[in-house]
Amino acid sequence: AAVIPVTNVQDVQYFGDVEIGTPGQKFTVIFDTGSSNLWVPSKKCLDTKSCSRPNSFDPKKSSTYHEDNNAFSIQYGSGAVSGSFDKDSVTLAGLTAKDVVFGLVDTEQGFGQSSFDGLLGMGFPSLSTNGVKTVLTSFIEQGLIPKHSFAFFLTERPNRAGSEITLGEVDPKRYLGDFHYVNLLQENYWTI
C-alpha cells in the first residue's frame, strides 16, 4: 500500500511530505480535501519575501522541470496564492509520477507564519483551478495507484504520531465492519 505518514494538527490540518523534481526537493504540505491543486512557494517568492513559508522550489535544481507559465490565482478561506502552473516529477509514499502539474507560488496573502510549505489538494477534478490535471489523476493514469481514492487514519488525539493517508485503496487493518456507500449530490465538496 502507498502510505503517507501525516501529522494531525488539532484534527484540522494534516501535514505530510511530498517531493517535487529530480532530485526531489522535499516539502511539508497540507493535504486538503476541499481543493484540488498542488502548490509550493517559488524561490522568487521567498527571495522577495512575498511568502512566509519555510522552503521554496528551485527549478534550476531539477532536471525534469518543465515551465508552462500557466498563470493561476486561488482564493482559500484563510488566504490567497498566485503564480504559475508548471510540470515536474512528484513523489508521494515512495511513488514518483512524471510531468505532474503543480503551482509555483510567487505571492501569498493571509496565511501568516506556519510550519507548512504548501498544499496538496485531494478534491475532485471539478474543483481544480484552470482545469489542470490533479495529482491523484496523474498517479492513476501512470498506474501508480489502483483507483481515485484515499483514506485518512487519524490518531485518537491530535498531535500524536501514527496518523497516515493511504492512496488508491483502504488499509483493511485500519477499520472493522463493512462500508456503506452514499451518493454525493455533486462531485465537488463531498456533499451528501
Side-chain angles (χ1 to χ4, degrees):
V3 176
I4 304 166
V6 296
T7 301
N8 171 3
V9 181
Q10 299 178 349
D11 288 337
V12 176
Q13 295 178 331
Y14 310 100
F15 295 163
D17 291 335
V18 60
E19 289 187 12
I20 302 173
T22 307
Q25 297 176 45
K26 191 181 203 177
F27 299 94
T28 298
V29 295
I30 293 176
F31 289 92
D32 177 31
T33 60
S35 67
S36 299
N37 299 101
L38 167 62
W39 60 262
V40 294
S42 67
K43 188 172 182 310
K44 172 185 168 188
C45 201
L46 262 66
D47 287 349
T48 62
K49 305 209 182 323
S50 301
C51 292
S52 56
R53 310 290 105 220
N55 299 298
S56 65
F57 182 79
D58 186 349
K60 292 177 182 172
K61 293 183 178 176
S62 175
S63 63
T64 49
Y65 171 76
H66 298 287
E67 184 177 42
D68 281 353
N69 274 329
N70 178 2
F72 78 92
S73 180
I74 305 175
Q75 179 69 51
Y76 297 95
S78 55
V81 293
S82 62
S84 69
F85 283 127
D86 297 308
K87 289 181 184 172
D88 208 331
S89 296
V90 170
T91 302
L92 289 168
L95 304 173
T96 302
K98 298 175 181 175
D99 295 321
V100 177
V101 177
F102 75 105
L104 264 181
V105 169
D106 292 331
T107 60
E108 68 165 49
Q109 295 175 322
F111 287 102
Q113 292 288 350
S114 185
S115 57
F116 70 91
D117 299 309
L119 186 143
L120 197 158
M122 302 184 76
F124 287 98
S126 64
L127 298 178
S128 179
T129 298
N130 293 13
V132 302
K133 190 181 294 184
T134 68
V135 172
L136 287 183
T137 299
S138 292
F139 272 65
I140 291 162
E141 288 179 354
Q142 295 180 35
L144 298 171
I145 58 176
K147 55 186 173 178
H148 204 284
S149 65
F150 56 87
F152 278 88
F153 173 78
L154 303 178
T155 51
E156 288 185 24
R157 293 191 188 131
N159 308 317
R160 296 270 175 101
S163 296
E164 62 190 27
I165 300 170
T166 305
L167 297 177
E169 59 188 325
V170 178
D171 185 344
K173 294 180 292 204
R174 296 297 191 192
Y175 69 93
L176 298 172
D178 298 318
F179 287 105
H180 175 75
Y181 290 90
V182 178
N183 290 329
L184 299 175
L185 293 179
Q186 293 181 37
E187 289 190 0
N188 53 17
Y189 291 103
W190 312 99
T191 307
I192 59 173

